[in-house]
């Protein structure tokens, strides 16, 4: 019980033979932010296929309610804070749209969604701002991607779409005449991963 209480407070458990542990609140908060971000992103990429089930999301969102995550703004790197908020927003939005049926199969998701929005996306005198904030982030990312594409095409040398074509073609279903014409993309996919990697070559934005 003592170890669980100390863990919840972000304090190291005292080592054997020592009188006290070392408070590591900033490091503990950052570790929790990174872990929750990875867990939520992993769920979103795989859902609704097993093991990315409604119950798994409920567990991940419950862990995102860790008391120390109220202080996620203490994380020093803005990218980590933003990545955490985007991961939460993506999952919460998916529960209102693509995966709305999950709120029926796992009713606790309704409460968790409400609580996390109020905890992470509530601004005094404005109320919940998740939708506005998320839309603004998506516009920012799209603008950065457009600027990156323009920069790539402005470079001299070989046609820049050829390397991308070579990476994408193997991902399409094969038929007797070669790659198929259509690929179903209704969720995060390998195609999106390849395009993102292509955009990220030579830049730290991606």
């Amino acid at each position: 019980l003592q170890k669980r209480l100390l863990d919840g407070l972000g304090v190291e458990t005292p080592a054997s033979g020592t009188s006290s542990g070392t408070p590591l609140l900033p490091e503990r908060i950052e570790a929790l932010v990174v872990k929750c971000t990875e867990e939520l992103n992993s769920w979103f990429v795989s859902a609704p296929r097993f093991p990315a089930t409604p119950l798994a999301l409920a567990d991940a969102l419950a862990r995102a309610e860790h008391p120390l995550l109220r202080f996620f703004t203490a994380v020093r790197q803005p990218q980590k804070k933003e990545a955490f908020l985007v991961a939460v927003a993506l999952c919460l939005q998916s529960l209102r749209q693509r995966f709305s049926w999950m709120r029926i199969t796992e009713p606790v998701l309704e409460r968790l969604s409400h609580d996390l929005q109020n905890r992470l996306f509530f601004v005094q005198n404005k109320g919940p701002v998740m939708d506005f904030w998320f839309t603004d982030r998506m516009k920012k990312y799209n603008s950065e991607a457009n600027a990156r594409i323009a920069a790539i095409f402005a470079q001299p040398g070989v046609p820049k779409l050829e390397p991308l074509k070579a990476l994408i073609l193997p991902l399409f279903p094969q038929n007797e005449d070669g790659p198929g014409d259509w690929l179903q993309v209704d969720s995060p996919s390998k195609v999106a991963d390849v395009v993102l990697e292509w955009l990220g070559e030579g830049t730290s934005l991606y």
Side-chain angles (χ1 to χ4, degrees), residues 74-108:
V75 175
R76 296 182 181 89
Q77 298 184 36
Q79 296 92 335
K80 290 184 178 180
K81 290 185 282 190
E82 185 168 310
F84 170 63
L85 291 176
V86 168
V88 173
L90 276 171
C91 290
L92 297 189
Q93 282 213 338
S94 72
L95 286 175
R96 295 190 309 192
Q97 300 170 5
R98 212 166 120 237
F99 302 136
S100 58
W101 55 271
M102 290 187 178
R103 293 181 297 171
I104 299 174
T105 60
E106 203 63 51
V108 71

Side-chain angles (χ1 to χ4, degrees), residues 110-122:
E110 191 75 46
R111 179 191 65 78
L112 288 169
S113 296
H114 180 268
D115 290 351
L116 281 171
Q117 280 199 64
N118 285 337
R119 179 177 296 196
L120 301 175
F121 298 98
F122 187 89

Side-chain angles (χ1 to χ4, degrees), residues 3 5-14 20-25 28 68:
K3 185 179 185 303
L5 287 172
L6 290 171
D7 180 68
L9 291 172
V11 178
E12 258 190 347
T13 305
S20 64
T22 304
L24 296 170
L25 281 176
R28 176 63 172 152
L68 285 179

